[in-house]
Amino acid sequence: DDPTRAVLACFDCEAVLRKLNLEGRFGVTTGRVFCGAVGSTKRQEYTVMGDTVNLSARLMANAKKAGCTILVDELTAKRAQAEVACRALEPIMVKGKSELIKIFDPQKPSNEVLTTITNGEIAVRFPWVQFDSVLTSLETWDELRTVRAILNNKEVTSEGKIAEAGWVRGGTLLLSGPHGMGKEELAEYVVHHCRGELKMAICFGTMRCRPGSL
């Protein structure tokens, strides 16, 4: 998620400069670069070099002309699209390039309210993109079986048997596992069960890609 972090860092830098009555311009690109020490045995400095670095400098220089503070290239916009919406602008010519470069203006994410209560009805919007899934209807899914047992004040023993759990009034449920195992589906199931069956009010806290987001 480096491209996303880089764009979000630009928003933070922009806010700090604005408090100082200063104006900053930023260019963010994604690609391979050389990163390390350059120079002789007498004098060296740590730097990053490469076409990707040069392009980011060109975007920074063209940001004001494009009418925005931050400009990103096409690859950065694609990699960050899950967290940051990017508005496509007219492609531009930059020094060192023979073809037009596609540029994008990233839009700062807003801290949205994910849980609302209206006339006693609790509405929940998840901080990720919801999608239809059949996973939570699979009776043979072991992880779902374990979560269901916990929510019903039960626990699954090492032998796979269901027994009385040690906690009754509450606790912490941590969902952890490798990418693609179905953690989002399990999280949605837990929230819907707690809201519908246990009549709980739902409060979200998520760092998204970096601290300070929400």
Side-chain angles (χ1 to χ4, degrees):
D1 62 352
D2 290 339
T4 303
R5 288 173 176 264
V7 176
L8 294 176
C10 289
F11 289 123
D12 288 348
C13 291
E14 180 187 10
V16 171
L17 290 173
R18 191 182 300 114
K19 290 179 180 179
L20 299 173
N21 293 320
L22 298 174
E23 186 178 18
R25 305 290 177 184
F26 305 87
V28 183
T29 53
T30 300
R32 289 186 176 276
V33 300
F34 168 79
C35 179
V38 296
S40 65
T41 55
K42 293 184 177 180
R43 181 178 182 275
Q44 291 188 344
E45 60 183 16
Y46 186 83
T47 187
V48 288
M49 302 170 59
D51 184 64
T52 302
V53 179
N54 296 336
L55 180 57
S56 66
R58 306 301 183 205
L59 296 189
M60 177 188 66
N62 281 274
K64 186 173 184 178
K65 188 185 300 183
C68 54
T69 304
I70 307 168
L71 280 184
V72 304
D73 66 348
E74 184 176 21
L75 185 54
T76 302
K78 287 181 178 179
R79 295 283 182 85
Q81 64 182 354
E83 296 290 338
V84 182
C86 294
R87 180 173 61 93
L89 303 176
E90 285 293 325
I92 60 173
M93 289 295 301
V94 299
K95 184 179 179 181
K97 295 290 185 180
S98 58
E99 298 180 355
L100 290 169
I101 301 298
K102 293 181 179 179
I103 58 173
F104 298 81
D105 174 22
Q107 309 298 300
K108 186 176 182 179
S110 60
N111 288 337
E112 303 163 286
V113 177
L114 303 178
T115 304
T116 58
I117 303 177
T118 305
N119 297 327
E121 292 295 321
I122 303 174
V124 177
R125 189 186 65 74
F126 292 91
W128 53 77
V129 178
Q130 297 182 74
F131 49 88
D132 294 330
S133 174
V134 298
L135 287 178
T136 51
S137 64
L138 297 178
E139 297 297 330
T140 56
W141 188 15
D142 291 339
E143 286 78 5
L144 178 61
R145 184 167 175 260
T146 300
V147 168
R148 281 177 172 170
I150 293 173
L151 293 177
N152 289 307
N153 197 33
K154 306 289 183 180
E155 65 179 356
V156 180
T157 66
S158 58
E159 294 81 19
K161 298 180 180 180
I162 296 179
E164 291 292 330
W167 59 280
V168 177
R169 298 184 63 82
T172 300
L173 175 62
L174 173 65
L175 300 177
S176 176
H179 178 74
M181 68 157 289
K183 297 186 293 298
E184 290 184 358
E185 288 87 347
L186 284 173
E188 290 186 17
Y189 177 83
V190 170
V191 171
H192 284 303
H193 179 89
C194 291
R195 182 187 62 176
E197 301 298 325
L198 304 180
K199 307 302 180 185
M200 292 183 177
I202 309 302
C203 297
F204 274 109
T206 173
M207 292 199 319
R208 292 184 176 170
C209 279
R210 64 195 299 272
S213 295
L214 176 60

